[in-house]
Amino acid sequence: MRFKGIALPGVFIAFMAGTSVADEASLVERLQLATDRAEQENCKSSLAVLNDVVSEKAFAALPEEKRLSVFELANWCAAEANDNGAKYRYALEGTRLSGASEYIWHTRFALEMNDERYAAVAETLEAMTRANRAALNALKIEWLARLNRKLRDNGDTLLQARVLQVLTDNDYRPADFLLTGDNFKLSYAEILAEQGKTAEATALLERVVEPQPLIGASVDRRLRALVKPDFDARAIVEARLAQMRDIAVAHPGSMAAVLEMADYLRQLGRPEETLATLEAAHPDRVYAVTFSDLDDNRNWWWDSLSKTYAMLGRDDEAVSAMGKAGAISERGELNVSQALNLGHLQLELGKPAEALETVSVFDDGKRTMSPYGEMVLRLVRGCALLALGRAEVAKPDLAYAASHEKDHPSAAMTLPLCAGDMDAAAAVLIRRLDSPDQHVGALLQFSDYDPPPVGPPFKGLYARLPELKARADVQAAIARAGGVRRFHLQYQ
């Protein structure tokens, strides 16, 4: 049997050089006993033996690699026994030794994150840079993004800066070849700019290659002065598209790379080329088996196809494709993302009855949603009810959105628009524009973009956005936030 890289049994035999004969015999016997019990899936008993062994002087005299093997086994058994206290203790002890595995480093990080011990998390990340950079690079970027958000929301700028210093180091390279860590560079640049360290902030921005963080920086009141005067968002998207084509060639088994190319092509207003790119990677064709990440991205392929059809004005095909996406499970559970996206699409197409029917699948409570997803549901259902003249029934959705504005500020603004309450919508938008954390999203939403290839720029849910933008109070708030920009791109 093999426990997270530890071959058992017999791993502990005859490795006690430097200890007394009596100590050696005792340790060998008890470590072998612990090994046997782990083999028998009796980790609680194995852990009890190991807890005694590691407290002895004879154990401390063992070479590091031997002690590390014991800590790795104890850590694994603690996990099997659901003993998080022992699990963390052995992860901490193990990572103090050279050669600690990625598994034990990630265990230490995850337990500290779960306990919201963010100072300890920062120390762990810093220790990884010195002891096991590969383990740092292999951390899921979702965990790190969550850490960054938590520290920002807590107002702990000093600790956030420590974490971001690690994640913006030149040697930090996410193991996933599609990821860049550019959002961490943007976050750290904001902190540095607020501290008056404009040279350092500018240097970080110059390393960013993903378009969206740079586009955001161009309207961010903390960073826009650091963006080059000749900033060309379209050229940046074109450059990243070229990089993504190279990545897709180097990694032909990546459906995610294909979907990123499709996103950039739509942003550039090239839906016909997007359609050809997607069709060449159709998940139902024989060659689709070459995609190693197909199970994770099948629903998103249909989602991307739907958005492409919508851009081409092929509305029925857009609805059909999103419907197929919504029928596919998401991370092994009932689909949420595309079920919501379908309802949203139907609303945009002026089909509120169909949208209401689509989101009725959430009525039984079997689909688990994030706070953001819950707000999308309220938006779709509330606006559909209002469009059907059922204002009284829509009141709970309007009230929910008003009390959960931070979960999805744009949805909280749009629901009052559906109700014809321009003053309430303007109040939400002005709060967004005046917020340090929300003004970038609001400015991007109300910036000027190229007209869509087919149809009007604002329709359905968003037909009244130009009217909202034209209000004097909104215009004043836009000016306070630094002003909108003109992008020669499609709004995404």
Side-chain angles (χ1 to χ4, degrees):
M1 185 178 291
R2 185 170 291 273
F3 295 90
K4 301 299 178 183
I6 306 165
L8 301 172
V11 71
F12 302 120
I13 299 297
F15 67 33
M16 312 300 191
T19 63
S20 71
V21 173
D23 286 340
E24 178 179 338
S26 174
L27 280 178
V28 167
E29 290 170 1
R30 283 181 292 156
L31 287 173
Q32 189 60 55
L33 176 63
T35 301
D36 292 342
R37 289 178 178 176
E39 286 272 11
Q40 296 159 8
E41 300 184 3
N42 186 358
C43 262
K44 188 174 181 180
S45 177
S46 176
L47 199 58
V49 175
L50 292 171
N51 287 339
D52 288 338
V53 166
V54 299
S55 63
E56 297 183 6
K57 288 183 179 180
F59 177 78
L62 296 177
E64 273 199 5
E65 68 271 17
K66 306 307 180 184
R67 282 182 285 140
L68 181 57
S69 291
V70 175
F71 290 140
E72 296 254 7
L73 172 61
N75 178 263
W76 188 88
C77 255
E80 291 295 297
N82 294 314
D83 186 343
N84 279 348
K87 187 178 176 184
Y88 181 67
R89 183 169 68 253
Y90 287 120
L92 203 60
E93 290 292 342
T95 52
R96 286 173 177 155
L97 304 178
S98 60
S101 69
E102 178 182 300
Y103 168 77
I104 203 166
W105 276 108
H106 287 191
T107 298
R108 171 177 165 179
F109 172 86
L111 290 169
E112 289 165 348
M113 281 289 291
N114 288 340
D115 291 342
E116 298 185 352
R117 298 176 54 227
Y118 297 129
V121 172
E123 184 178 333
T124 294
L125 294 176
E126 290 165 343
M128 278 194 220
T129 66
R130 298 186 294 270
N132 193 333
R133 187 167 286 278
L136 173 65
N137 291 341
L139 281 171
K140 288 186 178 180
I141 207 161
E142 296 89 345
W143 294 350
L144 299 170
R146 175 181 146 208
L147 172 63
N148 187 39
R149 285 194 302 272
K150 285 282 189 181
L151 295 176
R152 181 200 64 197
D153 293 345
N154 292 347
D156 198 337
T157 305
L158 289 177
L159 198 55
Q160 185 186 13
R162 276 180 63 190
V163 168
L164 290 171
Q165 195 167 16
V166 170
L167 300 179
T168 57
D169 186 89
N170 281 318
D171 290 328
Y172 171 65
R173 297 183 181 88
D176 187 330
F177 55 84
L178 290 174
L179 301 177
T180 63
D182 278 354
N183 283 323
F184 300 134
K185 300 182 187 79
L186 191 70
S187 291
Y188 197 24
E190 290 169 356
I191 292 173
L192 292 170
E194 287 179 335
Q195 294 173 345
K197 299 176 180 178
T198 55
E200 293 95 322
T202 302
L204 270 180
L205 289 179
E206 289 174 350
R207 290 171 48 204
V208 174
V209 296
E210 290 191 58
Q212 210 53 41
L214 283 173
I215 290 171
S218 75
V219 297
D220 189 327
R221 57 179 171 239
R222 296 158 293 194
L223 299 175
R224 65 192 304 159
L226 308 182
V227 175
K228 293 178 179 178
D230 59 350
F231 173 74
D232 185 344
R234 189 174 185 86
I236 291 166
V237 176
E238 291 275 15
R240 185 58 178 165
L241 173 61
Q243 292 173 348
M244 196 53 59
R245 290 190 194 281
D246 290 341
I247 290 172
V249 170
H251 300 275
S254 173
M255 174 64 82
V258 173
L259 297 180
E260 284 217 30
M261 285 193 293
D263 286 343
Y264 293 134
L265 286 166
R266 276 196 305 274
Q267 195 171 12
L268 292 165
R270 291 151 58 178
E272 293 285 3
E273 190 177 347
T274 312
L275 187 59
T277 298
L278 289 170
E279 287 290 356
H282 199 296
D284 292 340
R285 305 274 164 78
V286 174
Y287 50 73
V289 296
T290 62
F291 291 113
S292 61
D293 58 349
L294 184 58
D295 288 345
D296 293 332
N297 289 296
R298 187 185 296 272
N299 57 317
W300 292 105
W301 183 92
W302 285 103
D303 185 292
S304 187
L305 183 68
S306 173
K307 290 172 181 173
T308 306
Y309 280 144
M311 184 175 276
L312 288 164
R314 295 163 61 172
D315 296 346
D316 290 344
E317 290 165 289
V319 169
S320 175
M322 195 64 80
K324 289 178 180 177
I328 299 168
S329 65
E330 189 173 17
R331 293 184 294 275
E333 299 182 357
L334 291 171
N335 187 287
V336 171
S337 299
Q338 283 73 41
L340 292 172
N341 288 352
L342 176 57
H344 191 275
L345 173 62
Q346 289 165 324
L347 266 184
E348 285 193 275
L349 296 175
K351 299 179 177 182
E354 289 89 334
L356 193 59
E357 175 64 25
T358 293
V359 298
S360 68
V361 299
F362 293 97
D363 292 348
D364 60 11
K366 292 181 179 179
R367 302 181 190 226
T368 304
M369 284 181 290
S370 66
Y372 180 94
E374 182 69 33
M375 282 290 281
V376 175
L377 171 61
R378 303 290 181 150
L379 170 67
V380 174
R381 186 172 59 203
C383 287
L385 288 167
L386 289 162
L388 294 168
R390 300 170 63 185
E392 194 66 28
V393 186
K395 281 184 177 179
D397 290 322
L398 284 161
Y400 182 93
S403 63
H404 293 78
E405 184 178 316
K406 288 186 177 180
D407 291 341
H408 191 335
S410 178
M413 176 196 74
T414 307
L415 254 169
L417 278 183
C418 292
D421 191 344
M422 191 66 72
D423 289 340
V428 176
L429 176 55
I430 290 167
R431 284 194 290 273
R432 293 173 66 196
L433 289 163
D434 287 340
S435 165
D437 297 326
Q438 297 178 22
H439 75 282
V440 171
L443 288 173
L444 290 179
Q445 185 175 9
F446 285 85
S447 285
D448 299 313
Y449 297 85
D450 289 346
V454 177
F458 301 101
K459 59 184 178 181
L461 281 172
Y462 306 106
R464 299 191 70 185
L465 287 185
E467 182 184 350
L468 180 62
K469 180 180 177 180
R471 286 176 57 119
D473 53 353
V474 169
Q475 283 293 309
I478 287 174
R480 286 197 304 273
V484 295
R485 295 187 74 122
R486 171 69 169 91
F487 297 107
H488 292 288
L489 296 166
Q490 297 294 304
Y491 178 64
Q492 297 282 290

